[in-house]
């Protein structure tokens, strides 16, 4: 019973954190995508990295790091 209560309270906490701070999860997603793009570039998959950056910019048009990386192509 205690584990059920702890599990539910943890779930509620996560939901509240995401609801109260929605930008944090998008920043995490952007950073993860940028890391994947760095790996693509390291392996020479430039076109795929550029396409992924363009898609990312469509979703987050005002993010400065995405625009900066696109300008470097």
């Amino acid at each position: 019973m205690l584990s059920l209560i702890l599990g539910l309270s943890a779930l509620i906490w996560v939901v509240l954190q995401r609801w109260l701070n929605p930008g944090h999860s998008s920043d995490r997603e952007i950073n993860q995508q940028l890391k994947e793009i760095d790996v693509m570039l390291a392996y020479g998959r430039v076109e795929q990295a550029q396409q992924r950056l363009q898609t990312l910019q469509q979703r987050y048009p005002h993010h400065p790091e995405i625009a900066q990386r696109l300008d470097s192509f």
Side-chain angles (χ1 to χ4, degrees), residues 26-40 49 52-53 55-56 59-60 66 69:
S26 66
D27 285 342
R28 193 176 325 159
E29 178 189 353
I30 291 169
N31 289 335
Q32 180 63 35
Q33 291 283 331
L34 291 174
K35 286 178 187 176
E36 291 176 12
I37 290 167
D38 289 340
V39 171
M40 288 177 199
R52 179 82 64 95
L53 270 173
T55 302
L56 202 56
R59 291 182 67 193
Y60 306 101
I66 297 169
R69 288 185 184 215

Side-chain angles (χ1 to χ4, degrees), residues 12-32:
I12 290 169
W13 183 81
V14 168
V15 169
L16 283 174
Q17 291 298 315
R18 290 189 179 186
W19 181 65
L20 293 173
N21 192 4
H24 183 67
S25 62
S26 66
D27 285 342
R28 193 176 325 159
E29 178 189 353
I30 291 169
N31 289 335
Q32 180 63 35

Side-chain angles (χ1 to χ4, degrees), residues 37-50:
I37 290 167
D38 289 340
V39 171
M40 288 177 199
L41 291 171
Y43 284 103
R45 298 178 2 207
V46 177
E47 284 185 30
Q48 187 177 5
Q50 188 175 13

